[in-house]
Amino acid sequence: MAELFNVYPLNDVEPVRALGSYLWDTKGDRYLDLYGGHAVISVGHTHPRYVQALTEQLNRISFYSNSVRIPLQQELADKLGEMSEHPDYALFLCNSGAEANENALKLASFHTGRKKVIAFSKAFHGRTAGAVAATDNKAIVAPVNYSEHVTFLPFNDAEAAQQGITDEACAVIVEGIQGVGGIQVATDAFLQTLRKRCDETGAVLILDGVQCGYGRSGKFFSHQFSGIQADIISMAKGMGNGFPIGGILISPKFKASYGLLGTTFGGNHLACTAAIAVLDIMRDENLIDNATRMGDYLMNGIRQIGGYKELRGRGLMIGIEYDFPVESLRNTLLYDHHIFTGVAGKNTVRLLPSLAVGQAEADQFLEALSVCLAVQS
Ligand code: PLP
């Protein structure tokens, strides 16, 4: 029997059906999903409008390459530009977060003619770092060989950024809220220093909004809290509510030319349909406001329960750090209370529910959490 390459530790649950914030397994047991498969489920599982849009599109045309006009791409660019308040930025579509970041770094390197990338401690930007560097084809230039050219500076340290970003840098890449790194919110002063140093040195400022973007923080992109403008913003995860799609929003100072970037699947009919449905639902159901409201509600409830070392986050991107490893707490939540949560490091529970999560679901979690912590102590 052929085996799957065994790289993922698995929870012992097999979801076969889902609706809103709930999943059902093979036995018909219901689970509350407060993780959304790494922040992917933005408008809720199998939202009827989303299912209808994709079903209708599937019956029309699902794919053709980027050698023909695909008006859905323009519709997506228009809606995204308007909702994210970047109407003058151009959109390049791809298939995942890592790919979005690779394209952002390539563009930065092409634009500046430099190779050095500044990233930050605990940052996570995806797993395809070697792909472009390993391509032996003169037509497909690999300007950034990450491992050789990346310098890591401490996150949220404006002083270190002031010193460390020099005119050798092609790009500074940073998450507005570090996800995998433990739900660390970038301070306004830190992001403003990055913007200032990029302006002074000519480096391109890339905001990785793959996890913290798309309304999750209570603004479309989390760095918008600090009032800075990014040069390139990457996105994926919540963009397609489970349909693989990623993209970068690109400031008007970058000029496009044929062949500069490219992809086979990026911007296909189905992916655009999924992404348009997500934006329409987010707008019509006021889901970004709901992220703020429900984020506050959850945070207040968690504060009242207490017992944690630090509570971090914004909107529906919440990290609860305890002074003990949370594996057993999360297993109890999953197997006894049927609630999916995520983790960052060993000690931080990571919550990334759908932006449509409601108060009853939040209460279900808060009650289970207080029971688990009472048993634990
Ligand atoms: N950037 C951030 C901030 C992420 O959290 C992730 C994935 O977790 C990625 C990039 C990579 O995205 P993908 O797994 O879609 O390639």
Side-chain angles (χ1 to χ4, degrees):
M1 194 174 77
E3 284 187 3
L4 294 171
F5 200 54
N6 191 11
V7 294
Y8 302 114
L10 299 181
N11 294 309
D12 189 20
V13 182
E14 187 185 329
V16 288
R17 190 163 67 82
L19 183 66
S21 288
Y22 288 100
L23 303 161
W24 285 263
D25 70 4
T26 44
K27 291 177 271 173
D29 288 342
R30 191 178 80 158
Y31 292 79
L32 174 62
D33 182 9
L34 295 187
Y35 188 52
H38 314 311
V40 167
I41 300 303
S42 47
V43 298
H45 290 278
T46 62
H47 190 292
R49 247 179 110 177
Y50 173 87
V51 172
Q52 187 183 352
L54 273 168
T55 307
E56 287 174 3
Q57 186 59 46
L58 194 53
N59 281 307
R60 280 195 292 269
I61 176 171
S62 55
F63 175 81
Y64 203 76
S65 68
N66 283 303
S67 57
V68 296
R69 227 175 310 119
I70 303 176
L72 288 164
Q73 295 181 349
Q74 188 60 53
E75 184 182 344
L76 174 56
D78 289 340
K79 287 186 167 158
L80 179 58
E82 189 189 325
M83 282 182 67
S84 70
E85 298 173 29
H86 289 79
D88 54 338
Y89 278 46
L91 178 64
F92 175 76
L93 290 164
C94 56
N95 311 287
S96 70
E99 210 188 320
N101 285 330
E102 286 229 8
N103 280 294
L105 291 167
K106 280 170 73 176
L107 206 48
S109 189
F110 289 137
H111 184 73
T112 57
R114 308 174 192 166
K115 290 184 175 178
K116 186 171 165 182
V117 172
I118 306 285
F120 296 93
S121 49
K122 289 197 173 179
F124 182 73
H125 301 294
R127 297 178 186 267
T128 63
V132 77
T135 301
D136 187 16
N137 180 331
K138 291 208 163 29
I140 303 171
V141 188
V144 178
N145 180 334
Y146 299 85
S147 51
E148 269 178 45
H149 297 292
V150 178
T151 300
F152 288 94
L153 298 177
F155 184 73
N156 263 348
D157 185 335
E159 188 54 42
Q162 178 70 29
Q163 306 292 327
I165 300 169
T166 67
D167 57 13
E168 279 177 18
C170 78
V172 173
I173 182 165
V174 66
E175 294 159 84
I177 305 172
Q178 289 191 325
V180 177
I183 316 291
Q184 302 284 351
V185 182
T187 64
D188 293 347
F190 177 61
L191 291 179
Q192 285 157 7
T193 302
L194 300 188
R195 178 67 276 172
K196 180 172 141 289
R197 281 307 286 157
C198 285
D199 288 339
E200 287 165 359
T201 60
V204 172
L205 181 57
I206 302 169
L207 263 295
D208 180 342
V210 169
Q211 187 166 149
C212 60
Y214 247 78
R216 178 157 295 284
S217 67
K219 285 202 187 284
F220 201 94
F221 294 116
S222 67
H223 65 270
Q224 290 172 315
F225 281 100
S226 69
I228 60 151
Q229 282 281 348
D231 297 316
I232 304 177
I233 307 167
S234 58
M235 68 207 84
K237 294 202 188 283
M239 191 175 184
N241 199 50
F243 199 100
I245 180 169
I248 47 177
L249 277 171
I250 305 162
S251 131
K253 69 179 165 202
F254 297 86
K255 292 285 158 270
S257 60
Y258 291 159
L260 187 68
L261 305 176
T263 159
T264 296
F265 291 120
N268 69 71
H269 298 74
L270 279 180
C272 288
T273 300
I276 291 166
V278 164
L279 289 178
D280 287 346
I281 295 165
M282 278 172 66
R283 182 197 57 219
D284 293 350
E285 298 186 5
N286 295 315
L287 293 189
I288 302 185
D289 289 345
N290 193 59
T292 304
R293 204 172 34 253
M294 289 312 303
D296 289 347
Y297 186 81
L298 273 165
M299 290 264 224
N300 282 335
I302 295 163
R303 253 180 229 116
Q304 275 166 30
I305 294 167
Y308 54 80
K309 187 174 159 205
E310 196 172 44
L311 179 60
R312 298 184 293 268
R314 225 167 207 164
L316 289 172
M317 189 160 180
I318 298 174
I320 323 167
E321 183 174 344
Y322 292 95
D323 58 10
F324 53 84
V326 293
E327 188 181 351
S328 123
L329 170 63
R330 289 184 56 243
N331 281 340
T332 309
L333 282 168
L334 180 61
Y335 297 116
D336 294 357
H337 296 269
H338 286 186
I339 300 175
F340 273 92
T341 60
V343 66
K346 285 205 177 330
N347 290 8
T348 302
V349 174
R350 189 159 49 129
L351 301 181
L352 301 162
S354 143
L355 307 189
V357 74
Q359 198 165 315
E361 291 135 11
D363 286 339
Q364 186 185 337
F365 167 73
L366 294 170
E367 201 176 313
L369 181 67
S370 65
V371 170
C372 291
L373 290 174
V375 171
Q376 191 128 357
S377 60

